[in-house]
Amino acid sequence: AQSVAQPEDQVNVAEGNPLTVKCTYSVSGNPYLFWYVQYPNRGLQFLLKYITGDNLVKGSYGFEAEFNKSQTSFHLKKPSALVSDSALYFCAVRDRDTGFQKLVFGTGTRLLVSP
Amino acid sequence: DSGVTQTPKHLITATGQRVTLRCSPRSGDLSVYWYQQSLDQGLQFLIQYYNGEERAKGNILERFSAQQFPDLHSELNLSSLELGDSALYFCASSVDRGNTQYFGPGTRLTVL
């Protein structure tokens, strides 16, 4: 069975500082990994994904994530946080080796960027 | 804007009632997925349709059903509603075998 852990309910960072939102996953096969962001009263917006290849994935709005197979992690990063980055972030996994295309989500991490 | 549309945005109803949520996928996407987001359960996959056929089922209650029509829009029917069904219901779509699911804005269901 697939699972995702986001160990921090909330991450606080000052504007201009680097940010990291942590994610670890568990799948029986090889993973497809995703990050989505949810703003208040909005749907989930796709940020980036890891399918295969380069372990460092770049996505929208200056975000990037690093896939680490040995640590089964896919942490989201940004070199310089903006107040407008404050939102709820979800990591999701899909098992590449099964026919199921459903996404399994973590519980979400609230990012709060202070001015 | 993801290109996925959902109606209505908000729905308030009473226990025991039945409602229908509607989703139009992005142009060209054949797969539609339904997810439920609640405070206690988080984001849970409910069901997937591909080109009109059910492809996968998740934690969907027997009181819930869905279908995808020839024009590829999908409806999620929730019946005999209970207080615990209050949640945000998301639809997502993808090109089959494509890996990115694009989500709609959601329908917020409140059962009183």
Side-chain angles (χ1 to χ4, degrees), chain B residues 18-22 34 46-49 54 56-57 59-69 74-81 89:
Chain B
R18 173 190 168 95
V19 297
T20 297
L21 282 52
R22 184 188 167 106
W34 287 97
L46 295 177
I47 197 164
Q48 178 198 356
Y49 277 81
E54 182 184 304
K57 249 182 179 176
N59 300 323
I60 188 166
L61 299 171
E62 283 193 18
R63 301 183 284 107
F64 296 1
S65 65
Q67 57 186 129
Q68 187 179 26
F69 295 87
S74 178
E75 293 181 355
L76 180 66
N77 300 297
L78 315 175
S79 62
S80 303
L81 285 167
Y89 291 85

Side-chain angles (χ1 to χ4, degrees), chain A residues 34 36 38 49 94 101 103, chain B residues 33 37 48 99-101:
Chain A
F34 304 81
Y36 287 86
Q38 185 177 26
K49 66 183 178 186
R94 191 195 126 196
Q101 295 175 349
L103 292 174
Chain B
Y33 311 78
Q37 184 180 32
Q48 178 198 356
N99 300 302
T100 302
Q101 294 178 25

Side-chain angles (χ1 to χ4, degrees), chain B residues 7-106:
Chain B
T7 57
K9 277 187 89 167
H10 302 278
L11 204 46
I12 301 174
T13 189
T15 54
Q17 295 298 304
R18 173 190 168 95
V19 297
T20 297
L21 282 52
R22 184 188 167 106
C23 167
S24 292
R26 295 187 321 153
S27 176
D29 285 358
L30 298 178
S31 271
V32 169
Y33 311 78
W34 287 97
Y35 291 85
Q36 178 195 60
Q37 184 180 32
S38 61
L39 283 174
D40 53 345
Q41 299 281 338
L43 265 163
Q44 299 277 324
F45 167 74
L46 295 177
I47 197 164
Q48 178 198 356
Y49 277 81
Y50 169 71
N51 203 21
E53 306 226 340
E54 182 184 304
R55 176 160 282 192
K57 249 182 179 176
N59 300 323
I60 188 166
L61 299 171
E62 283 193 18
R63 301 183 284 107
F64 296 1
S65 65
Q67 57 186 129
Q68 187 179 26
F69 295 87
D71 67 353
L72 300 177
H73 91 271
S74 178
E75 293 181 355
L76 180 66
N77 300 297
L78 315 175
S79 62
S80 303
L81 285 167
E82 301 175 0
L83 296 177
D85 297 327
S86 296
L88 199 47
Y89 291 85
F90 286 112
C91 168
S93 73
S94 75
V95 174
D96 190 43
R97 308 244 178 248
N99 300 302
T100 302
Q101 294 178 25
Y102 293 92
F103 283 74

Side-chain angles (χ1 to χ4, degrees), chain A residues 89-101:
Chain A
Y89 290 79
F90 289 95
C91 181
V93 69
R94 191 195 126 196
D95 190 330
R96 182 163 28 134
D97 298 332
T98 71
F100 289 123
Q101 295 175 349

